[in-house]
Amino acid sequence: MLITFEGIDGSGKSTQIAMLAQWLGGRGATVLTLREPGGTTFSEAVRSVLLSTKHEIHPRAELLLFEAARAQLVETVIRPALGRNIIVICDRFADSSTAYQGYGRGLSVSDVENCNFMATGGLKPDITFFLDIPIETAFERAAGRNGSTADRMEQSGRDFFERVREGYTLIATTEKERFRIIRADSTPQKVHEAVCSEISELIAQYTAKA
Ligand code: TMP
């Protein structure tokens, strides 16, 4: 089973992924957590290039780098893990490219979707959580993070993140079956409870089959 988390920077995905992984582990599941871009040495190297403020990257080049990192992760890590019945939780997946490079940067959304298809080989998450927070809250959280400077993507500005958030909302409403929109501006525990309640039925089906 492939579970993905999406949302703008500062939506609390990593905290929620750690909490969900622990919750699933406590129910006897074998869980692998990954992040995009990342999860392989190649994809982590691509991540450094993408996030470094040293480079100015054209939106199409940016898209293709995210897709290259994704293709490597899917083929060398995610598919083999799914083949061994491991629950894979991924911090971002193809919807990030649709939201950030499509809606955010303004590339054609259908072009981005075609690139997503090529990179994933058609692999789709079983369930996707969109952790939705107001841009203001995301910016306050980023400002509160001591000592960390904004990476190249985080420097994209408020209007960009508004478009990304609207993009996610559109994708989530178009793919209602797969998406769960979770309001993520409450406490981590409340958000976690909302995630667990949405996923428990799917997990029950999965463990019954395993
Ligand atoms: P992270 O900070 O959540 O790990 O994600 C890295 C950054 O890359 C974040 O700003 C979102 C961005 N991103 C894209 O723009 N497109 C993508 O396809 C992915 C996976 C991430």
Side-chain angles (χ1 to χ4, degrees):
M1 179 188 299
L2 175 60
I3 304 167
T4 59
F5 279 74
E6 296 285 352
I8 58 171
D9 303 66
S11 55
K13 290 179 287 91
S14 2
T15 306
Q16 289 308 318
I17 288 170
M19 290 172 96
L20 179 61
Q22 201 180 11
W23 187 83
L24 289 170
R27 273 153 192 76
T30 311
V31 182
L32 175 65
T33 60
L34 298 166
R35 68 172 178 182
E36 266 226 76
T40 75
T41 49
F42 168 76
S43 309
E44 289 290 336
V46 174
R47 178 187 180 90
S48 310
V49 172
L50 277 162
L51 299 188
S52 166
T53 51
K54 273 195 302 196
H55 311 294
E56 271 188 32
I57 307 179
H58 186 278
R60 282 206 304 277
E62 181 180 280
L63 170 68
L64 293 171
L65 283 176
F66 278 116
E67 299 293 3
R70 175 168 304 132
Q72 184 75 9
L73 181 69
V74 167
E75 291 312 322
T76 66
V77 182
I78 298 182
R79 280 192 197 279
L82 295 176
R84 284 186 284 133
N85 223 18
I86 290 169
I87 296 183
V88 177
I89 309 178
C90 204
D91 186 340
R92 302 191 178 282
F93 199 57
D95 299 306
S96 280
S97 292
T98 312
Y100 279 74
Q101 280 64 54
Y103 292 100
R105 297 283 192 232
L107 295 180
S108 145
V109 168
S110 68
D111 283 353
V112 175
E113 285 170 351
N114 287 337
C115 289
N116 284 342
F117 188 82
M118 181 183 271
T120 59
L123 179 68
K124 281 255 181 187
D126 295 281
I127 186 166
T128 298
F129 292 100
F130 167 33
L131 302 189
D132 190 26
I133 52 163
I135 305 293
E136 206 52 59
T137 314
F139 275 56
E140 276 162 23
R141 285 183 184 177
R145 267 188 246 129
N146 286 337
S148 65
T149 48
D151 64 38
R152 196 184 60 82
M153 294 303 297
E154 288 165 343
Q155 290 179 357
S156 301
R158 198 194 168 91
D159 290 354
F160 173 80
F161 285 103
E162 291 284 5
R163 291 195 296 276
V164 172
R165 185 183 179 206
E166 278 165 27
Y168 271 131
T169 308
L170 274 170
I171 307 166
T173 41
T174 314
E175 288 202 56
K176 279 204 182 72
E177 282 280 292
R178 172 166 69 89
F179 265 88
R180 302 292 182 277
I181 304 178
I182 308 274
R183 281 210 48 177
D185 53 355
S186 57
T187 64
Q189 186 55 35
K190 280 206 177 121
V191 177
H192 174 60
E193 281 160 18
V195 167
C196 291
S197 97
E198 289 289 347
I199 209 164
S200 47
E201 199 182 315
L202 207 61
I203 294 298
Q205 288 165 8
Y206 166 85
T207 40
K209 267 194 248 156

